[in-house]
Structures are given as structure tokens and as C-alpha cells.
Amino acid sequence: MKSEKAEAASLKPARDRKKKTSQHVNRRNVWLIVATVLLVLGSVFAFMPPQEKINQGLDIQGGLSVVLTAKSTSGDAVSSEDMEKSRSIIESRVNALGASEASVSLQGNDQILVQIPGLSDTEAALDTIGRTGKLEFARLDSFTDETVKTKIDNGQYVTQETVTDAAGNKFPTGKQSYDLEVAEGTYTPLVTGSDITRVTVDKESEASANYAVDITLNSEGAKAFEEATRDLAADHGKIVIILDGKVQSAPAVQGVISGGNVSITGNYTMDEAKALQTVLESGSLPVSFEYAQSQTVGPTLGQDALASGVLVAAIGLALVMLYLLVFYHGLGLITAAAMAVFACLYLGILALLSHFGLFSLSMAGIAGVVLTIGMAADSSILTLERFREEIRMGRSVRAASITGVRHGILTSIDADLVTLVSALTLFFLASASVKGFGLTLALGILCDIAMMLLFKAPIIRLLAPRCIAKHPGFWGVRDCENAAPYFQGEKRAESRKDVHGRFIKLDINVLGLKKYFLSAAAVAMVLVAVIIGVRGLQFGIEFVGGTSVTFHGTGDTTIEQVRDAFDDAGVSDPVLQTTNADGDTGILARMTTTSAEDATHIANQVADEFGWSTDSFEVTTIGPDWGASVVQSSLLAFLVSLILIIAYISIRFRDYKMGVSAVIALLHDLVLVFGVYALVGREVTPNTIAALLTILGYSLYDTVVVFHRINENMKDDSVKCTFATMANHSVNEVLIRSLNTSITSLIPVVAMLLFGGETLKDFALAMTVGLISGAYSSYAIATPIYVIWKTRETRYAKLQRKYGDTVVRWFLNRLPRPVKAVGAEGSAASAAPVAANATASMAPSASVEASAEGSSENATVVAAAQPVQETNRAANHATHRQKSNRSKSANRKKK
């Protein structure tokens, strides 16, 4: 009795410590859930209503459309090089205003069309984007016009603005205007805007309410400025600052200014100083511009198409939720809740950025949202599958909620970080809508990680010991609990039919078919090359330019009616927008037809259908929205992202072969999409590019998940099999997850392809092809290439020689135990039961399916291989479980 009491007394502190630790962990999980609830409530408050709180891009909400006409100061025609340079500079200025989804394109020979969504101060914005921005510094004594020189010396270049009341009295407004113009050639420039390396905004002085624009000059400019100030300091000569031909200030030199730091003052407000900063940073326009016309335009998607797209996507998401509930039962509810948390956090961040004018949601942004929603579902499904797998391996529900969830989240974070590398590269190096895609994707990845750490892991760990363990049928883990004795070897299974559940019992021989998969991929790439070579790719107007037709006085005619009319006229997919200029409603149509005569003929057909007069429209030749600079920056960003992906995977998994194999599979997916587009004859548009970037993320995520499991399994040196066999088993371990995530991603996209509007079908078609391709390329291309490459290493080449070339299929997460070879005359079929019986007699805890499956392949491998020790995670769990049972039995006997 004393010994039993002493033993009980010694066990009590251990139980108390365990209880306190459990309570501490539970409190932490509860606080994480509370923090999540508060964040979700704050996010809902921030983004409701979303149509008002989240800025929308031009293709969704429309905006301001302005035509700028170039003026040459020399009288010569404006060159195409100057127009393209001007377009690029104006685009950078528009982006600096926060209108990141603006459209800037060439129109005719001397015009630029600027369409800007959601501006709060239109007049100020137009003044910024159209200003020439030619900055010059000149010594006052270099001016040849004595009248101008005298005015500058007397400070007569500044005029105080006034306002006149009804009685004719004038009152100062406090604003100043700079009206003194100086003719080019009447002074000698000392330093120009090309010498500027950095521009910042700061207050003129600590006590001043006005702001100054501080610039830093390059070495040549700094040297010239220093020499001039040294020469002028003795008699306090003046240096004149000239912007766009008008004098801004003429400070007297008090001493030598070295280092190239110069301050431009002019009683600027903060907004005025920032506008000047934007102009100076982008560089001066090679020609000056004046406003030809301005009008408001509607969205390019069309409200009907957008509404149908949103409805179809919502139905698709509802079907996804239903599928998760059917497959995972109660755990599907957790996944649905996790996706709801993710959506709230995501929308809250987008609303916050919109509030500060840093974000506008475009079609490319929607693509980023679609991708991150898919990734959030992917990470949730991955975590659930790992949780269920740990239960099958013999862990309790509570233990699986700790180890399984941790491993699942770490795998998800690895995949997220690889995609984040690509997203940040696109954001920092690309331009136009590609930049918007990179931003939304990066934000979504961060929200996904936050959702997993703040909500997914705590909620499963809180529910596991009480709810999930007590009601395994409702929560969808009963099949895993029932299968655990088979996976532990405590029960013998003659065939996979003896074990029921939603998981793979006998490995599918994916890598046994690697040569066929790679041959099929090679043939597909050759066919794509032939198809593109014969049929070519059709690029949309955003890439190649075309003609623009502006219809006036269209009344209540809708976008969809005009689209049908263009379709009847032989133009399948024009870019259409509603317009409004001084109350005159109209429709702007852009098409890839480059001939003005052909465009006029088409416009006449459309006008006749609606009874519009032949003089109710104008036809203009326009350039591409995606100019050469945009395409080049996007390609550069893409190539840099591929290099960084290889580098990241190589460092993370300590194997560059993984990174190269992943990129090869990714390129296969992208090329295949282009091949399908060439085959069906659809135009490649910015929506297509958005879809391709989305495919990039999906393909990478899938591949990294597979490689993560291979890397994890191969850390165990005691596993006695070839690299191909272990890789094939790793593929099977994550195959159910991949199928489920592919299905959940495909459902809304296919619904959009079948039932969505015409303008969304480019995106949906590319996404459908890319998702299917990305799902299988991770298993059929990336992994086989990696396995073939890896097997050539000395360590794995020895294993290949030792165990043979055939891939052995695991049964219930364990290798079949090999036996001595049967006679050379014995058939594989007769060897199979021998192998199975011998295995059972040598170790009752192990079982192998041979005769039940008719696996001549397994029998051959068993006969040919040397005896190996059966080692895996399941065996370790089984040993631990048997010891625990023996200990409990001994305690009961003592009592």
C-alpha cells in the first residue's frame, strides 16, 4: 500500500504540471480566437459597404478620360520616340498619384489618351500629369533680356492672387502665381532636371507653414552648382530657378553651396510640393501638351457582365463550401469559417489602402483575389489532411491537433513564401495592371498566414480534445480512427477493401509512369510550337493598338446591345465604355482593326442598326495601352521572379534541383495556355495575363507542397527503398489534398467560363486550362524531372542499384517486407502469395497486399530485393502504443 501511495504521490506533481500546461495552452488559444474576432469586426467596419470603401479601377467603375495633344516648340512634327517617352512619363506620374490602375495610351500621331479611375481632385491631377516638368537653374547675369532681368532682380515674378466680391472689392487669397515667362535661348542653363538624383519634400523652416522641394544633384550638377555659387557669393549674385519656362524663385547666393543639395521654395502647400516632386521625379516631357478634350467614361467590363460574373463566382463559392462539407463533414465547417475570416481580413486591408489612395481594384486585382482565396482554401485543406493523417498514424485527436496542424501550417507557409517572392517581384519591377496583381497577391498571402496562425490552428486545438474526439463521426475523423489499427499493424488487412476511408490505402504508381508523362509533355510542347507557328497568337488592342470609334447621342443603348451589333459586323470582342461629356451620353469602342477606312465601315454598320446618323461618330487611330516599356518591365519582373524562386527553393530545401524542376513545370503550364489560345483563336488580353499570373501562383503552390513532403520523408535515413519509391509515396500522401484543392478552385472558374459574361471568358478560359495543367504538372512533370535528376546522385544511385528500378507501392503507409527470391522459373503471380505469407509469418504486425491486388509488380520487387528492415513513422507509433497498453494492463493487475 505504501508503495502504491508513494507512486501515486510521485505521479501527482506530473499530472498537475501537465494540467497547468494544458490550461496555459488553452488560454493562449482562446486569446488568439478573441484577437481574431476583434480583427474581423474591425475589418468588417472598415470595408462595409465594399463598393464605397474599396476603390475600383477603370475597368470596373470607369473614370475620367482626357486627351492630351502634343505641341512642338520647334514647329517640326512630333516624333514617335518623343510620344512614347511622353506616354511612359505620364503613366509614371499617374501611378504616383495613387491611380495605379489608370490607362495611358497613344492616340493618333500626336495625342495621348489618359483614363484615370476615382480621382478626388481632377483639376490638380490633370495639372500634374500634363505639366512639362522642365526644370533649369541659371545665373541671373546670364540673361540677355534686360527687362526680364530687371523684373527678376526686383522680385516681380510673383503675383498675389485676389478675389473680387460683388461690390468690386479685391481681396488677397493668400495664393501666389508665377507668370513671368522667359524665352528659351535668352539665358544659359547651369543645371537641368536631368542632373537630379533625388527629390524630397520638407518644410521651408521649422517655423514656416510652407513646404519646399529639396533636390539632390549628381556629381556633374553638384560641381557646376558649387562653382557658380563660389563665383556669385562675393557680391551675392542670384541663381534663377525656372520650371516650364516660368521663373519660380531667384535666391541670392550667401555662400558656397557644395554637395549638390538644393532647395526650391515658392510658398508651396504640402499638396503643391508633392505634385512638383512627382513631376521632377518622373522627368521632363520632351514636348509640351495641351488638353484637347475630357469626359467621363464607364467601365470596360460593363455592369451587366460584372454583375453576372459576381453572381456566378458567388454560386461557385457556395458549391465549394458544399463540397467541403460533404467531403470533410464538420471539419468542412472549420474550413468555411477560416475562409470567411480570411475574406474579412483581406477586404479590411484593401479598404484601408483605398482610404489612403494606395489601391484600386481592377480585373488583374480580382485575379489576385481569386488566387489568394484558392490558396486560403488550399492551406486549410492541407492542414485538415495532415490532421487526419496523424490520426491514422495512431496519434490521439488531441496530439494530432498539435503535431498535424503544425506540420500542415509549416508546409503552407513554405508554399506561401515561394509565391510571395513572385508577388513582390511583380509589384516592385512590373507596371500597369501586373503591379496591381502583385500587390493583391502579396496582401492575400499575408492574410492567409495570419488566418492560419490566429484562427485555424487555435480553433482545431480547442475543439480537438472535447468536441472532435467525442464526436468523430460528425467531424469526419471516424474513418481515420478506424483505420489506425491497420496502419499500426495491430490488425491485418488482406486488401485495401478491408480498410474504409477517404484516403489512399495502396500507393498509385504515379512515378512508374514518369517516362510516359514526360514524353506526353514534350509532345504537347512541340504541338504548341506548331500551332502558334501556323495560327499565331491574336493579341488584343491593349497590346497592338487599333482604332477607336466614339459614338455620340447613344441614349439608353446598353453596352451589351452595342457588343452584339459589333459582333454582327464581324468584330468579336471590342473594348466598350460608356462616355459622358457635358451631358452628352455616348459609347467609346476600341478594336484591333488598324485601318481607319475599315473601322469607319464597321462603325456605319453599327450606327445603321440603331438608327444613328453617320456623322454621330468619330474614328481615331490609337496605340496600345500596354506600351513597349510596360511589356518589357513585366517580362523583366517575370524572369527575375523565376530566378528568385529557384534561389529561394534552393536555400529553403538545400537543393537547387527542386527550384529548377518547379520552374520547368511552371513554364510548361504557361506555354500550354498560350497553345490553347492559339488553337481556339481567342485574343490575348490583359485579363489573360492576369490569369497566367494566377496560374503561376497555383502551380508553384502545388509543386512546393509535393517537394516539402519529399524533403520531409527523405530526412529519415533508415527508410530502405529507392528515392523514386519514397518520392512516389510522398506524392500519394498529398494527392487527396491536391485533388480537393483543384476541384474547389475549378468549380467557380468553370462556372464563370460557362455562364459568365463575354468579357470575363478570357480570364476564365486561361484559368481553367492553367488550373488543370498546374494540378497535374506538379506530379507528372516537376516531380519526375526531380526524381530522375536526384537518382543520379551517388547516394541514391547506390539505392537504385540495390533495390532495382521498379517503384514499390506502399500499402497502408508501409513498405512490403521483402523475402528471399523464388526460383527463376517461378512466376510473379505465384511469388506474390509466398511473399505475403512470408511477410506475415516474419512480422504479424505487418501486412502487404499482393494476391488481393494481383500485384505482379510488387511480387517481382519483393523477390528481387534484399531483405530490409521495415521502418517508418507508423512502426514507431505502434511500438509506443503497445508499450502503453502493456503498462496500463500491469497497473490494473497491481490494483
Side-chain angles (χ1 to χ4, degrees), residues 489-616:
E490 297 173 6
K491 287 186 178 181
R492 179 178 175 180
E494 295 295 340
S495 73
R496 58 187 173 188
K497 296 178 182 178
D498 295 341
V499 185
H500 301 284
R502 299 180 302 280
F503 44 82
I504 294 176
K505 292 88 176 180
L506 177 67
D507 283 356
I508 300 171
N509 193 7
V510 176
L511 289 178
L513 303 173
K514 58 182 177 292
K515 293 182 180 179
Y516 298 102
F517 286 136
L518 294 178
S519 299
V523 171
M525 294 300 97
V526 172
L527 289 176
V528 167
V530 172
I531 291 171
I532 293 178
V534 174
R535 296 179 61 89
L537 283 172
Q538 297 184 32
F539 288 93
I541 189 172
E542 296 87 353
F543 293 97
V544 298
T547 49
S548 169
V549 182
T550 304
F551 295 96
H552 301 287
T554 56
D556 297 331
T557 308
T558 66
I559 288 285
E560 297 306 321
Q561 289 174 323
V562 175
R563 189 182 305 282
D564 292 339
F566 269 98
D567 189 55
D568 294 339
V571 180
S572 59
D573 196 15
V575 178
L576 301 177
Q577 294 171 280
T578 58
T579 64
N580 192 307
D582 299 327
D584 179 28
T585 59
I587 289 179
L588 176 65
R590 293 185 292 164
M591 47 190 168
T592 53
T593 304
T594 56
S595 168
E597 291 77 10
D598 292 343
T600 302
H601 177 69
I602 293 169
N604 276 319
Q605 287 184 259
V606 174
D608 289 344
E609 185 163 339
F610 296 104
W612 300 332
S613 62
T614 55
D615 58 352
S616 64

Side-chain angles (χ1 to χ4, degrees), residues 18 112 153 177 181 221 328 431 449 474 624 628 646 680 795 871:
K18 185 176 180 181
I112 292 180
D153 197 24
S177 60
E181 295 188 11
Y328 290 108
S431 55
I449 295 174
F474 174 79
I646 294 175
V680 300
R795 173 189 172 190
T871 56

Side-chain angles (χ1 to χ4, degrees), residues 454-492:
L454 294 178
F455 178 76
K456 192 65 180 288
I459 197 69
I460 292 179
R461 288 168 181 167
L462 283 173
L463 294 175
R466 294 177 176 82
C467 298
I468 300 178
K470 293 180 180 179
H471 306 283
F474 174 79
W475 292 99
V477 297
R478 186 185 298 279
D479 61 335
C480 297
E481 290 184 334
N482 292 338
Y486 293 99
F487 278 83
Q488 302 310 304
E490 297 173 6
K491 287 186 178 181
R492 179 178 175 180

Side-chain angles (χ1 to χ4, degrees), residues 646 658-669 777 781-782 785 789:
I646 294 175
M658 279 190 176
V660 175
S661 301
V663 168
I664 292 173
L666 171 63
L667 294 176
H668 163 272
D669 299 336
S777 66
I781 296 176
I785 290 175
W789 200 351

Side-chain angles (χ1 to χ4, degrees), residues 77-154:
V78 180
S79 66
S80 58
E81 291 80 8
D82 285 344
M83 289 300 298
E84 175 56 32
K85 182 179 179 181
S86 298
R87 191 205 66 78
S88 178
I89 291 173
I90 290 174
E91 184 176 57
S92 66
R93 292 180 181 180
V94 171
N95 291 339
L97 293 173
S100 57
E101 300 297 339
S103 167
V104 181
S105 58
L106 298 176
Q107 181 170 281
N109 296 323
D110 61 350
Q111 289 185 329
I112 292 180
L113 173 65
V114 183
Q115 294 186 328
I116 310 172
L119 281 182
S120 57
D121 191 345
T122 303
E123 186 176 345
L126 294 179
D127 181 60
T128 299
I129 64 176
R131 187 185 300 183
T132 303
K134 185 178 181 182
L135 178 69
E136 295 172 304
F137 293 79
R139 295 172 54 150
L140 181 59
D141 55 16
S142 72
F143 281 75
T144 58
D145 189 327
E146 292 298 329
T147 303
V148 170
K149 188 175 180 180
T150 301
K151 288 184 177 180
I152 295 174
D153 197 24
N154 294 331

Side-chain angles (χ1 to χ4, degrees), residues 652-673:
R652 173 63 183 85
F653 298 111
R654 299 179 182 179
D655 192 350
Y656 72 93
K657 297 181 180 69
M658 279 190 176
V660 175
S661 301
V663 168
I664 292 173
L666 171 63
L667 294 176
H668 163 272
D669 299 336
L670 299 181
V671 170
L672 193 64
V673 173

